[in-house]
């Protein structure tokens, strides 16, 4: 069973490398009147990677579907899988030996073709598939994930002018990717990789790769809170210099991106309320607290006056407010009613999704609202797999509350367990994580 799964995975990746980019608008090509080829390279002797005498097996498929409706990718994948599994998996054994990853990479490169690889790269002259110390580049990772060796993990293509083009992922991928480098602000992973078709993500750390996955589609469900946060964050970051603040004169441009049209007097009042006194800047925390309420339907007068009675979302009362309310009711002599009222009013509204039970790590966990299980596997830590629960904040909890911009505060240099939490929050920025009493897994 494991051999079959390995063979199928390899065949699928190679078939994708053979056709990716020809059936979309990445380079303007058309798939009409074309044929595709897939190549598998193995040494004539198992483990003999230094030999110049290699077996190159080539499979072909027409671009158009055949009479049975089989596509070119399906045809190539089936041919390659049959070959890898034939004769008691003789061909597959080469890839299970030391150096098998190198053979598979070689097969992907030959299948993709050198000319097509150069077309995928941002720069065809100085781009490589491996970097310092033999580490994988983004181009090789994208080749394995998507079939195209583009140089960036963001969505689409950015034309910088004067012939400079930055190429990213062209469509929603089947398997996703999350990166610790995004947390460190060295790259930006786009939604095509963050929100894949299947709930499986390759997790890239500073040293190697691991896997995060869900057991069903619950982790793929859209969250209103997350959508609102991402919309505000994207508009904000166009004017943020990675410091967590923007000049106050940029506020109007950010609001226009959010389609919030204010009159001049309203804009001046909001700017005055958001500006750090006598500094000329606006902090993300102050911006989110007020703008999230405006985006949720609250009136500007309510937001500026901190009066939530006419807003769409109610907020959890502060300890000071609860204390005043309790004192007033105790003074009236109704202690029991006061206690019950305070406890009830301090609880966030429950989700209409109701409760459901999910078995994880041998336990039955009661889940309320937008909560789902995920699993993390790190092959360098003894092949350990650990499950945990992720809960997205509800609008009642998130709107108007303090939420950091992608957890901007850096993890402690000695607390490496924070690395995985930081990476998970690049995908679910408003989430809470429950490790079920276990230590947070290391990402390295």
């Amino acid at each position: 069973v494991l051999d079959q799964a390995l063979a199928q995975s390899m065949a699928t990746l190679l078939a994708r490398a053979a056709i990716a980019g020809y059936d979309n608008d990445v380079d303007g090509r058309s798939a009409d009147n074309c044929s595709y080829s897939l190549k598998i390279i193995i040494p004539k002797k198992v483990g003999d990677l230094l030999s110049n005498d290699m077996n190159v097996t080539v499979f072909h498929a027409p671009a158009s579907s055949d009479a049975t409706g089989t596509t070119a990718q399906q045809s190539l994948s089936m041919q390659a899988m049959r070959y890898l599994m034939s004769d008691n998996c003789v061909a597959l054994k080469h890839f299970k030996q030391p150096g098998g990853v190198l053979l598979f990479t070689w097969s992907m490169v030959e299948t993709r073709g050198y000319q097509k690889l150069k077309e995928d790269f941002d720069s065809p002259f100085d781009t490589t598939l491996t970097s310092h110390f033999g580490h994988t580049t983004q181009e090789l990772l994208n080749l394995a994930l998507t079939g195209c060796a583009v140089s960036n993990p963001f969505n689409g293509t950015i034309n910088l002018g004067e012939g400079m083009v930055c190429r990213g992922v062209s469509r929603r991928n089947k398997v996703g990717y999350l990166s610790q480098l995004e947390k460190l602000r060295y790259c930006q992973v786009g939604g095509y990789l963050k929100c894949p078709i299947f709930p499986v993500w390759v997790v890239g750390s500073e040293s190697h790769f691991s896997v995060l996955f869900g057991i069903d589609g619950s982790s793929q469900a859209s969250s209103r809170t997350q959508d609102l946060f991402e919309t505000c964050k994207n508009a904000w970051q166009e004017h943020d210099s990675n410091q967590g603040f923007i000049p106050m004169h940029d506020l109007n441009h950010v609001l226009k991106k959010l389609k919030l049209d204010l009159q001049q007097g309203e804009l001046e009042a909001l700017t005055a309320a958001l500006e750090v006194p006598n500094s000329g800047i606006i902090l993300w925390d102050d911006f989110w607290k007020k703008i999230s309420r405006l985006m949720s339907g609250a009136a500007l007068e309510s937001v500026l006056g901190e009066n939530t009675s006419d807003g769409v979302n109610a907020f959890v009362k502060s300890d000071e407010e609860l204390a005043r309310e309790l004192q007033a009711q105790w003074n009236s002599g109704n202690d029991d009613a006061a206690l019950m009222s305070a406890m009830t009013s301090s609880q966030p509204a429950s989700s209409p999704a109701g409760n459901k039970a999910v078995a994880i790590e041998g336990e039955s966990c009661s889940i309320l609202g937008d909560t789902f299980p995920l699993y993390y596997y790190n092959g360098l830590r003894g092949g350990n797999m650990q499950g945990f629960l992720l809960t997205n904040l509800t609008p009642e909890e998130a709107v108007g509350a303090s939420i950091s911009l992608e957890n901007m505060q850096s993890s402690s240099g000695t607390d490496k367990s924070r690395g995985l939490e930081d990476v998970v929050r690049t995908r679910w920025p408003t989430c809470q994580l429950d490790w079920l009493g276990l230590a947070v897994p290391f990402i390295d």
Side-chain angles (χ1 to χ4, degrees):
V1 175
L2 292 178
D3 282 347
Q4 183 177 356
L6 176 60
Q8 183 173 0
S9 299
M10 293 173 57
T12 300
L13 294 178
L14 290 171
R16 192 178 305 161
I19 72 166
Y22 293 109
D23 58 344
N24 55 48
D25 58 357
V26 170
D27 57 2
R29 291 194 178 191
S30 170
D32 296 336
N33 302 318
C34 294
S35 63
Y36 305 108
S37 61
L38 183 156
K39 299 180 181 180
I40 296 180
I41 300 175
I42 58 176
K44 291 188 175 181
K45 293 182 180 180
V46 175
D48 189 10
L49 297 179
L50 300 180
S51 173
N52 292 325
D53 192 11
M54 293 284 180
N55 282 328
V56 181
T57 305
V58 184
F59 305 96
H60 300 279
S64 56
S65 302
D66 61 19
T68 65
T70 303
T71 65
Q73 181 172 341
Q74 291 170 336
S75 175
L76 290 173
S77 180
M78 289 187 292
Q79 292 179 66
M81 183 176 176
R82 283 196 296 265
Y83 170 73
L84 292 171
M85 295 293 294
S86 63
D87 298 328
N88 199 24
C89 302
V90 171
L92 186 63
K93 290 178 181 178
H94 290 277
F95 296 98
K96 297 171 66 176
Q97 298 292 321
V101 172
L102 179 60
L103 283 176
F104 180 67
T105 302
W106 192 354
S107 298
M108 278 200 302
V109 169
E110 288 289 343
T111 295
R112 188 64 177 159
Y114 297 112
Q115 182 60 39
K116 186 58 180 166
L117 285 173
K118 290 182 179 180
E119 294 174 5
D120 290 339
F121 297 159
D122 284 353
S123 172
F125 304 108
D126 55 2
T127 302
T128 61
L129 295 177
T130 56
S131 59
H132 299 296
F133 312 113
H135 289 178
T136 300
T137 62
Q138 189 67 51
E139 286 82 0
L140 181 54
L141 178 62
N142 284 342
L143 176 61
L145 286 175
T146 71
C148 286
V150 291
S151 299
N152 305 281
F154 52 65
N155 292 354
T157 299
I158 300 177
N159 193 334
L160 302 178
E162 298 183 356
M164 298 181 62
V165 176
C166 293
R167 296 180 175 86
V169 181
S170 63
R171 62 178 60 182
R172 188 183 182 196
N173 206 47
K174 291 185 177 180
V175 175
Y177 174 62
L178 303 175
S179 175
Q180 191 175 29
L181 295 180
E182 181 173 22
K183 157 63 186 174
L184 300 174
R185 293 183 174 270
Y186 290 134
C187 73
Q188 180 180 0
V189 181
Y192 289 152
L193 290 176
K194 280 186 179 178
C195 304
I197 296 173
F198 301 110
V200 180
W201 294 265
V202 173
V203 177
S205 71
E206 294 177 317
S207 60
H208 79 297
F209 298 100
S210 47
V211 179
L212 177 73
F213 64 95
I215 56 177
D216 56 34
S218 58
S219 58
Q220 302 295 78
S222 177
S223 163
R224 284 194 302 144
T225 304
Q226 183 178 321
D227 292 343
L228 174 61
F229 181 86
E230 289 292 331
T231 300
C232 292
K233 181 196 73 173
N234 292 337
W236 169 273
Q237 287 187 328
E238 289 190 17
H239 301 273
D240 181 6
S241 57
N242 294 338
Q243 299 295 324
F245 65 84
I246 61 172
M248 67 177 190
H249 57 73
D250 283 345
L251 177 62
N252 190 34
H253 300 293
V254 177
L255 295 179
K256 287 183 177 179
K257 284 285 184 181
L258 298 175
K259 298 181 180 179
L260 290 174
D261 296 322
L262 301 181
Q263 301 296 325
Q264 185 61 32
E266 295 174 328
L267 176 61
E268 292 174 355
L270 180 60
T271 303
L274 291 176
E275 181 194 4
V276 176
N278 302 317
S279 66
I281 63 172
I282 296 172
L283 300 178
W284 161 259
D285 189 60
D286 297 328
F287 173 84
W288 166 257
K289 286 180 180 178
K290 286 183 167 55
I291 301 305
S292 63
R293 292 183 58 200
L294 284 177
M295 295 284 287
S296 299
L300 180 62
E301 294 78 7
S302 170
V303 172
L304 295 178
E306 297 301 331
N307 177 13
T308 63
S309 60
D310 62 342
V312 172
N313 297 290
F315 307 109
V316 179
K317 295 180 181 179
S318 67
D319 293 341
E320 183 181 356
E321 291 172 325
L322 290 173
R324 286 199 299 266
E325 183 177 324
L326 283 169
Q327 185 64 55
Q329 296 192 39
W330 280 335
N331 291 341
S332 67
N334 192 356
D335 295 356
D336 292 339
L339 181 61
M340 182 59 68
S341 174
M343 291 178 62
T344 303
S345 62
S346 66
Q347 299 298 317
S350 60
S351 168
N355 293 317
K356 56 181 177 180
V358 173
I360 184 169
E361 293 295 325
E363 300 181 16
S364 179
C365 307
S366 179
I367 297 178
L368 179 65
D370 189 14
T371 300
F372 49 85
L374 290 173
Y375 295 85
Y376 177 71
Y377 178 80
N378 189 338
L380 291 187
R381 293 282 175 173
N384 181 48
M385 184 172 71
Q386 183 172 330
F388 61 98
L389 295 177
L390 184 149
T391 302
N392 279 314
L393 294 180
T394 65
E396 290 79 10
E397 294 168 316
V399 172
S402 293
I403 298 180
S404 63
L405 188 64
E406 290 183 346
N407 278 351
M408 285 181 60
Q409 62 273 21
S410 298
S411 301
S412 168
T414 58
D415 185 11
K416 293 186 177 181
S417 65
R418 279 285 307 278
L420 179 58
E421 292 189 334
D422 289 340
V423 172
V424 169
R425 287 193 172 98
T426 64
R427 168 62 177 86
W428 297 278
T430 62
C431 74
Q432 294 178 342
L433 303 175
D434 181 1
W435 297 98
L436 306 177
L438 302 175
V440 181
F442 287 96
I443 196 173
D444 293 322

